[in-house]
Amino acid sequence: MRLGAPGRIALIGLAVTLAITGCSSTDGKPGGATNAGGLEKTSLLIGQYPGADSAPLFIAIERGFFREQGLNVKTEAIQAPQAVLPKLSNGSMDVVLGSYATILTIQSEGSEKFKYIADSYQGAAGAFGVMVARNSPIKKVADLKGKKIGVNALKGLGVLTMNPHLKIAGLDPTPGKDIQYVEVPTTNWLQSLEKGDVDAVWMTDPYVSEAKNKLGATMLVDTMSGPTESLPITGWAATEKWVAENPKTMAAFQRAMAKAQNIAATDRSAVTKILPTFTKIPAETAATINLGNYPTTLSAQRIQRVADLMLEYGFLKQQINVDSMIVPFKG
């Protein structure tokens, strides 16, 4: 997920952003949540991407981890945090999943102030990359000079993670220089590559796997390798005001998510099982796609990599100290 909209960074993001479903979910045993712990709020609305990033959230819902903490959780599928900023600002939405790049952009623009309260998803080999068509004359990154590259957002995770690889190959990633980025909606990635509307497309899985299986496409460069290896993708954020007004509720959310995140990090079958329940990913695809990683700690040092990369390539106008945005998990 995901800087800009739509998408994962947008960035994204991100985030392994997939086609948006209109469904809503609740931590759904009858009777509602109780307020045994003196929580400021017991009913929460959570904005999430219907992709692998959100798997821990739905594991927590399915296994009753939120109810254990006295929380009743509802979810809303979103395109990007920018689209729900009014809800976050007025408190009608409590927590949102956003690409780190997107949240950092909002922070830098001053349109809202956020705190990160839990990590979600981190890049891993094979899950994010630049795909070229079968028999494409493009064989190495340097061959992209003068070519059109499809991305889900012109200031998104794809561009952010491609730029260092272009630079290493001797290309100038500045817009209008050596390559041309073309905005292509996520759902049109395969069609654009197959029709030749673009010369290459930055994709996330399951689209990477579909492009290989259906089109015979190949990955020109894995954009979670080398200078962008294991780059943080998405995390859970709330406004500074919400965190200040709801410290006990926030801590309860963190505890529930920590349990689910540990399961996602250590048991792929749990992720595979949950994905088809809230995304359009079929069970057989969920079993084979390349997944990112699920960090079990919220690290300012890791996320600072994203902020520094954004500053280097002009996504941010001034440096952001990520440490000031972190709310540590205290257990």
Side-chain angles (χ1 to χ4, degrees):
M1 6 253 241
R2 308 160 205 209
L3 177 59
R8 291 180 104 299
I9 224 140
L11 252 155
I12 203 169
L14 112 224
V16 186
T17 304
L18 302 171
I20 295 296
T21 60
C23 63
S24 167
S25 299
T26 66
D27 192 354
K29 297 178 183 178
T34 61
N35 193 13
L39 305 180
E40 299 86 5
K41 294 187 71 173
T42 58
S43 294
L44 301 182
L45 178 62
I46 310 298
Q48 52 82 24
Y49 301 126
D53 316 47
S54 296
L57 174 70
F58 287 91
I59 290 172
I61 291 171
E62 180 187 58
R63 302 196 183 193
F65 296 160
F66 289 117
R67 287 191 58 80
E68 291 174 1
Q69 299 297 327
L71 295 174
N72 180 48
V73 166
K74 295 183 179 181
T75 73
E76 180 179 319
I78 67 169
Q79 288 280 359
Q82 289 97 326
V84 291
L85 269 182
K87 288 186 175 183
L88 291 160
S89 295
N90 67 26
S92 59
M93 179 175 284
D94 300 280
V95 178
V96 68
L97 180 68
S99 77
Y100 286 111
T102 298
I103 297 296
L104 287 167
T105 297
I106 295 171
Q107 192 86 352
S108 70
E109 292 173 346
S111 48
E112 185 56 84
K113 295 299 182 183
F114 280 102
K115 294 289 189 181
Y116 295 122
I117 61 176
D119 206 335
S120 178
Y121 204 55
Q122 180 173 296
F128 305 77
V130 179
M131 305 296 293
V132 294
R134 186 202 310 264
N135 301 323
S136 171
I138 301 171
K139 304 299 182 185
K140 57 185 184 298
V141 176
D143 295 338
L144 290 171
K145 186 172 184 177
K147 301 296 193 293
K148 295 180 181 179
I149 306 175
V151 291
N152 65 323
L154 297 180
K155 278 197 171 183
L157 182 65
V159 175
L160 184 65
T161 56
M162 270 190 285
N163 281 351
H165 296 273
L166 295 171
K167 186 176 180 180
I168 289 171
L171 302 181
D172 186 344
T174 305
K177 296 291 186 177
D178 286 342
I179 54 91
Q180 180 183 352
Y181 288 120
V182 178
E183 192 165 300
V184 177
T186 304
T187 51
N188 292 346
W189 280 347
L190 268 66
Q191 181 183 5
S192 295
L193 188 63
E194 184 177 28
K195 292 174 62 178
D197 295 336
V198 292
D199 302 291
V201 180
W202 178 83
M203 297 184 186
T204 65
D205 238 342
Y207 297 99
V208 167
S209 296
E210 283 191 75
K212 290 178 179 178
N213 296 334
K214 294 181 179 180
L215 306 181
T218 58
M219 185 177 285
L220 180 72
V221 58
D222 187 330
T223 56
M224 290 296 160
S225 64
T228 49
E229 182 178 0
S230 300
L231 196 73
I233 305 299
T234 51
W236 300 98
T239 67
E240 286 186 355
K241 179 182 178 183
W242 188 91
V243 169
E245 292 178 348
N246 302 280
K248 292 182 180 179
T249 299
M250 180 206 64
F253 177 86
Q254 287 181 315
R255 288 192 292 270
M257 286 302 301
K259 291 181 68 173
Q261 194 80 1
N262 273 300
I263 291 171
T266 58
D267 184 1
R268 177 180 171 122
S269 66
V271 177
T272 296
K273 178 183 175 183
I274 204 72
L275 279 175
T277 69
F278 71 97
T279 74
K280 294 183 178 180
I281 302 176
E284 58 272 19
T285 302
T288 60
I289 62 172
N290 295 300
L291 290 173
N293 295 320
Y294 296 94
T296 55
T297 59
L298 185 59
S299 167
Q301 184 177 6
R302 281 202 310 267
I303 301 166
Q304 190 67 49
R305 287 182 60 203
V306 180
D308 293 345
L309 194 64
M310 293 173 69
L311 182 66
E312 180 180 353
Y313 288 98
F315 285 64
L316 296 177
K317 294 181 180 179
Q318 59 186 11
Q319 189 173 35
I320 291 180
N321 177 13
V322 172
D323 188 65
S324 66
M325 298 174 64
I326 300 291
V327 180
F329 173 57
K330 298 180 181 178

